[in-house]
């Protein structure tokens, strides 16, 4: 069987790069990366879980392509995205003896991509890096667009940089070892693309969603490609999120980040789950404001629930009594401008828009009544 690798270009002028999507790209990584290198040295950053599955294959592939390679392993989990781990990672990489032409290779989920990307942005004032995302969330979202960051005591992703990779290799076969819950969480971000500006894609997911979540190759590659294409187009139009365009990608995220903060950024609620529930809340709130229809809101909740994602606060052990705390978390969101809460709200499935000056009182009343 011939395996199709799809290729997509992120058009960012001199920072343009390709995204490759398809099975077994890790085994081909050396051949894909070598032409981009200024110096045949690579440092792989990965986490212990991913290393157990794919580090050997990646190192083999790099070595076969004549690339001298080193690996730095991080503990898995969101806790890794902090200043302590970042400091140690930077020291470990520098201790290897890197130069400006060294390539950093981020092998893993969004945690590895974000911390390794930020290391690439800052080491020696910036070295090239490649993303090899191994979670569904990272393949459709975090590896595309050049946002890199770590968390601080003040909040999530508050220390970072816009820094584009030279290449993204989304090996769809690597998802086979990903826990099912992580697959479903990543699927939440796929649904997001349909909701923000492609009603037809959302409709196709209503039919193909189960196949995507079961990692059926054709449906999976299609969903990853549509997602990456949309994110790439939005990023190309608004690389540094100065206009409203790129902010639309934050649909579900202001609510979602508040839920993540409230539940402690841990196993209780994964990022993609928080985004899924955040999108449901955004639809419900939009219905309450008279902006969207209850029918659309219902359809979104039904689809996410069918995919096995939480769609009620009670499902994650929260209730309306958390309203004030959630509102406070939302007030700390980066998307706050001049003190007013900015939300991305839907008009309908396939169309969302930026609402500045969301009346805090209405939002509080809505959250207090949410189940
Ligand atoms: N930069 C961006 O634009 C952006 C966008 C969205 C999310 N993010 C960030 O991404 C992070 C979440 O990323 P994530 O959901 O990928 O989580 P993650 O990186 O923590 O990975 C989830 C878990 O799966 C394991 N894992 C990864 N790949 C595996 C595989 N193929 N087989 C088996 N296990 C595997 C990991 O070790 C980890 O335990 C958050 O920190 C979030 O802030 C960044
Ligand atoms: Zn996200």
């Amino acid at each position: 069987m011939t395996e199709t690798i799809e290729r997509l270009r992120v058009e960012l002028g001199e920072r343009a790069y390709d995204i490759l999507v398809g099975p077994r790209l890790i085994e081909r990584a050396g051949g894909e990366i070598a032409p981009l290198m200024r110096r045949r040295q690579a440092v792989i950053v990965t986490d212990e879980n991913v290393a157990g599955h794919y580090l050997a294959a990646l190192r083999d592939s790099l070595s076969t392509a004549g690339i001298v390679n080193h690996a730095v392993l991080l503990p898995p989990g969101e806790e890794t995205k902090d200043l302590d781990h970042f400091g140690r990672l930077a020291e470990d990489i520098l201790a290897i003896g890197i130069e400006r032409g060294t390539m950093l290779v981020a092998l893993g989920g969004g945690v590895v991509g974000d911390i390794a990307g930020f290391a690439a942005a800052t080491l020696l004032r910036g070295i090239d890096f490649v993303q090899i995302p191994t979670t569904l969330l990272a393949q459709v979202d975090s590896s595309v667009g050049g946002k890199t960051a770590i968390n601080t005591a003040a909040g999530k992703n508050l220390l970072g940089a816009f820094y584009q990779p030279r290449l993204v290799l989304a090996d769809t076969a690597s998802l086979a070892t990903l826990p099912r819950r992580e697959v479903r969480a990543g699927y939440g971000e796929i649904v997001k693309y349909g909701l923000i500006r492609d009603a037809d894609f959302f409709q196709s997911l209503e039919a193909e969603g189960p196949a995507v979540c079961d990692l059926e190759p054709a449906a999976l590659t299609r969903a990853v490609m549509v997602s990456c294409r949309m994110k790439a187009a939005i990023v190309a139009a608004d690389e540094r999120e100065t206009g409203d365009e790129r902010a639309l990608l934050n649909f579900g995220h202001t609510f979602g980040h508040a839920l993540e903060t409230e539940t402690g950024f841990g196993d209780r609620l994964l990022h993609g789950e928080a985004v899924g529930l955040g999108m449901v809340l955004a639809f419900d709130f939009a219905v309450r404001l008279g902006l969207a229809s209850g029918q659309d809101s219902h359809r979104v909740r039904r689809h996410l629930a069918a995919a096995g994602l939480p769609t009620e606060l009670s499902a994650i052990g929260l209730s309306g009594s958390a309203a004030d705390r959630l509102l406070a978390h939302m007030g700390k969101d980066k998307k706050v401008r001049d003190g007013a809460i900015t939300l991305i709200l839907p008009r309908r499935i396939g169309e969302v828009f930026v609402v500045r000056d969301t009346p805090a009182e209405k939002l509080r009343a809505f959250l207090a009544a949410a189940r």
Side-chain angles (χ1 to χ4, degrees), residues 5-6 12 14 52 64 83 104 114 122 127-128 140-141 160 167 184 228 269 281 320 337 344:
I5 304 293
E6 304 271 356
L12 285 169
E14 59 184 19
T64 302
L83 272 166
L104 214 69
D114 276 13
T122 48
I127 62 174
D128 287 347
V140 299
D141 188 3
L167 175 71
R184 291 195 294 271
C228 287
L269 186 66
L281 290 173
R337 251 191 236 172
I344 317 298

Side-chain angles (χ1 to χ4, degrees), residues 8-12 17 19 114 137-148 162 164 189 192-193 196-197 201 223-239 241 245-246 249-250 253 271:
L8 166 72
R9 186 114 183 120
V10 185
E11 298 293 354
L12 285 169
Y17 58 95
I19 300 172
D114 276 13
L137 179 129
Q139 295 191 353
V140 299
D141 188 3
S142 62
S143 68
V144 184
K147 276 193 189 179
T148 72
F162 285 101
Q164 302 294 343
E189 298 272 8
K192 181 187 78 179
Y193 292 106
I196 64 178
R197 65 175 202 184
F201 181 47
V224 173
M225 276 300 288
V226 172
S227 302
C228 287
R229 197 178 297 125
M230 202 182 306
K231 179 149 187 188
I234 292 173
V235 167
D238 184 9
E239 188 182 0
E241 202 173 317
E245 186 71 2
R246 187 158 179 176
L249 290 167
N250 292 322
H253 280 64
H271 176 75

Side-chain angles (χ1 to χ4, degrees), residues 273-293:
E273 293 172 338
V275 170
L277 183 46
M279 295 190 297
V280 169
L281 290 173
F283 261 93
D284 285 351
F285 187 48
V287 172
R288 196 171 164 119
L289 294 178
L291 296 167
S293 78

Side-chain angles (χ1 to χ4, degrees), residues 36 40 101 107 124 187 189 238 264 272 320 342 350:
L36 302 173
R40 298 234 152 184
L107 172 72
L124 310 182
Y187 183 72
E189 298 272 8
D238 184 9
T342 297

Side-chain angles (χ1 to χ4, degrees), residues 93-113:
I93 295 172
L94 290 169
I96 289 167
I98 59 164
E99 293 177 13
R100 275 275 175 78
T102 301
M103 182 73 85
L104 214 69
V105 180
L107 172 72
V111 165
V112 166

